[in-house]
Amino acid sequence: MTGDAARLALPERTVASRLIVVARAARADDYDAVLEALAAAGVRSVELTLTTPGTFEAFPRLRDRFGGEIDLGIGTVTDSAQLARAIEVGADYVVTPVTSAALVAQATAGGVPIVPGGLTPTELFSSWSAGASAVKVFPAGQVGPSYLADLRGPFPDLVAVPSGGVDLRGAEQWLAAGALAVSVGGPLLGDAFRGGDLGALRERAAAFVAVAAREGAEAS
């Protein structure tokens, strides 16, 4: 079964906040302090990436500590074994950088929302029609917010989350253009995973949270 009949909604906190922070660290031990700062700034959804060694092993502990405040997804999922492990450890959602109907079907069968990546209309519609919870427009910095309006012509129901190169102004523009949420990494995290000032991280995060909240209020 594909399409709306099988489509799983993303977690309510993620949808309400309209902001997903992509946390890509050198090691999983670095997650805690950054997640604490993000939670304090009002971030309610974080994607932990599999390019960070030890993410699977750290996930249950992080969910115990932060799950009451933050939806924790697992990203950079590229194959069936990784997806099965993400489901097993209890990811609130999964994100892939690729277009794969098989991964969409596996996640849906496992009861976990999935956001597959793609850039072309064919890739994005393929994932959406397979039953993805939303599609990740990646790398979003290569197309810009007007691309979403172009996609909405032939695909009016498409639910999109831009990712890759989305800065504060871009977040505002993508959300105003109708994105469900924005996925933000470097422009928000800066040097936080390299020993940077966590107070400055909280300030940057709070600025993104405010933009997302404002655009959410205007959309409603």
Side-chain angles (χ1 to χ4, degrees):
M1 184 171 14
T2 60
D4 290 338
R7 200 182 313 282
L8 301 175
L10 283 167
E12 291 183 6
R13 280 184 299 200
T14 297
V15 174
S17 71
R18 307 194 74 192
L19 174 67
I20 298 170
V21 177
V22 182
R24 203 178 299 278
R27 54 180 192 157
D29 288 347
D30 296 333
Y31 281 140
D32 291 75
V34 169
L35 286 175
E36 186 173 349
L38 293 175
V43 170
R44 294 296 174 255
S45 188
V46 176
E47 172 192 334
L48 306 178
T49 65
L50 294 186
T51 52
T52 300
T55 291
F56 279 137
E57 292 75 14
F59 194 87
R61 172 180 59 79
L62 294 170
R63 185 167 188 180
D64 285 345
R65 180 175 177 185
F66 297 104
E69 297 179 88
I70 301 175
D71 291 332
L72 290 176
I74 292 181
T76 326
V77 173
T78 58
D79 62 41
S80 176
Q82 291 175 339
L83 179 52
R85 185 80 186 276
I87 295 170
E88 179 186 355
V89 299
D92 290 315
Y93 57 90
V94 294
V95 182
T96 82
V98 297
T99 300
S100 169
L103 291 180
V104 172
Q106 182 182 349
T108 301
V112 177
I114 185 169
V115 183
L119 186 62
T120 69
T122 298
E123 291 169 340
L124 296 169
F125 183 69
S126 175
S127 291
W128 181 247
S129 61
S133 302
V135 292
K136 180 173 78 167
V137 180
F138 175 79
Q142 299 301 310
V143 288
S146 62
Y147 189 51
L148 186 53
D150 294 335
L151 291 170
R152 285 280 171 76
F155 314 130
D157 298 326
L158 190 78
V159 174
V161 178
S163 180
V166 179
D167 59 13
L168 188 62
R169 177 61 177 154
E172 183 176 22
Q173 293 173 332
W174 278 103
L175 291 170
L180 175 75
V182 288
S183 174
V184 181
L188 188 156
L189 289 167
D191 60 356
F193 281 124
R194 301 188 301 277
D197 186 337
L198 293 179
L201 170 63
R202 286 192 295 272
E203 291 178 4
R204 291 192 301 272
F208 276 89
V209 168
V211 162
R214 182 170 67 247
E215 290 300 327
E218 291 179 0
S220 62

